[in-house]
Amino acid sequence: MRKPLVAGNWKMHGSRTFVREFADALRQAPPAPEVDVLLLPPVCYVQELAVSVAGLDIGIGAQNAHWQESGAFTGEVAPAMVRDLGATWTLAGHSERRAGCGETDELVADKCSAAFAAGLRPIVCVGETLAEREAGSAEAVVLRQLDAVAARLAAGELAQLTVAYEPVWAIGTGRTATPAQAQAMHGLVRGRLAESLGAQAETVRILYGGSVTPENAAALFAERDIDGALVGGASLAADRLLKIVAAAAEASRVRREN
Ligand code: 13P
């Protein structure tokens, strides 16, 4: 049974005050223990968050980390540095970085590998653009992005990978993939992982991201291969994030009973 994971990607939002207030809200209403909850603040707030949520069962991650351990990379942050601040997770290959920072499939694979080497758990983001979907190449794009990472990792690492399917056309647009569209892609991803991992592919968590809200989360989480969410906008309000966590907890209970 896969434990659901709900991750809040704050993108370039927040402040030290925001972090402390968010942590206070979580302390007032701790998330359901059936769900792993993870927050991904801007890297400058990782430490503030780590201190603020001390004692709460909240994971902390970076939105990005470099593929090198150190060196002449002005403005960059190494995986071991975010680990040092208190993060244990990192995103790799978010579409905003693939599109805006020129991150290639190979570089994303390098970042996943470097994250594991530094003791971070990477969540690799995959997903097609609207043009790619309309051209009928959504599946090929997602599998290409996944294959690049799988080829780079040891089998033991691949089994520890978390995948986030985030169709680019659904990010920040209010246009969520339908549960059926998302499930189709998640099933495809799991099938591809099974080619390398066999039955262990059943333990890999595959998150959906793209305009997830408290209103649409339950329908997404009811799908077999949707193991949680990578939430952007709705993760900036603790009460909305907690509602999404509650929906994941409920879906997990239903799965256990069936
Ligand atoms: P939204 O939930 O704001 O669409 O963002 C999704 C996302 O990109 C999370 O990484």
Side-chain angles (χ1 to χ4, degrees):
M1 178 65 93
R2 297 181 293 273
K3 188 174 182 186
L5 171 61
V6 172
N9 175 8
W10 289 354
K11 308 194 180 184
M12 201 168 74
H13 296 286
S15 64
R16 292 172 68 203
T17 303
F18 176 85
V19 167
R20 287 193 288 261
E21 289 176 357
F22 203 98
D24 284 347
L26 294 181
R27 222 172 268 287
Q28 306 273 315
E34 298 94 331
V35 181
D36 284 335
V37 178
L38 169 62
L39 294 173
L40 302 143
V43 71
C44 54
Y45 299 131
V46 163
Q47 186 170 20
E48 186 78 38
L49 183 63
V51 170
S52 301
V53 300
L56 290 174
D57 196 8
I58 303 289
I60 299 166
Q63 297 170 16
N64 174 48
H66 203 264
W67 66 94
Q68 296 275 4
E69 286 175 28
S70 63
F73 301 102
T74 302
E76 295 288 346
V77 178
M81 295 172 182
V82 294
R83 184 94 178 76
D84 197 27
L85 291 179
T88 53
W89 295 81
T90 182
L91 296 184
H94 192 283
S95 63
E96 287 153 16
R97 296 198 59 85
R98 290 181 190 263
C101 307
E103 295 199 357
T104 62
D105 293 342
E106 286 65 37
L107 191 140
V108 172
D110 285 346
K111 288 190 169 189
C112 288
S113 178
F116 276 120
L120 293 174
R121 298 194 58 178
I123 300 174
V124 64
C125 304
V126 297
E128 80 286 358
T129 63
L130 185 59
E132 288 163 343
R133 177 160 282 262
E134 286 175 351
S137 56
E139 290 79 7
V141 168
V142 166
L143 292 179
R144 188 200 73 221
Q145 293 172 337
L146 181 68
D147 286 349
V149 175
R152 189 79 172 70
L153 297 181
E157 292 173 336
L158 186 59
Q160 293 297 315
L161 187 69
T162 303
V163 180
Y165 170 55
E166 296 207 306
V168 178
W169 47 271
I171 295 177
T173 59
R175 185 179 164 193
T176 322
T178 65
Q181 281 173 324
Q183 167 57 33
M185 197 62 90
H186 284 225
L188 188 77
V189 166
R190 197 175 306 285
R192 189 64 139 217
L193 290 170
E195 290 174 22
S196 308
L197 294 176
Q200 252 194 321
E202 285 296 321
T203 66
V204 175
R205 289 184 289 195
I206 307 174
L207 313 180
Y208 169 78
S211 298
V212 175
T213 64
E215 293 71 37
N216 60 30
L220 289 160
F221 298 156
E223 297 292 337
R224 182 196 182 282
D225 291 295
I226 301 181
D227 305 313
L230 181 54
V231 185
S235 76
L236 290 168
D239 62 330
R240 286 173 65 73
L241 185 69
L242 287 168
K243 283 183 186 152
I244 295 170
V245 172
E250 179 57 25
S252 165
R253 260 178 240 128
V254 169
R255 274 191 206 185
R256 239 175 304 147
E257 281 160 17
N258 291 334

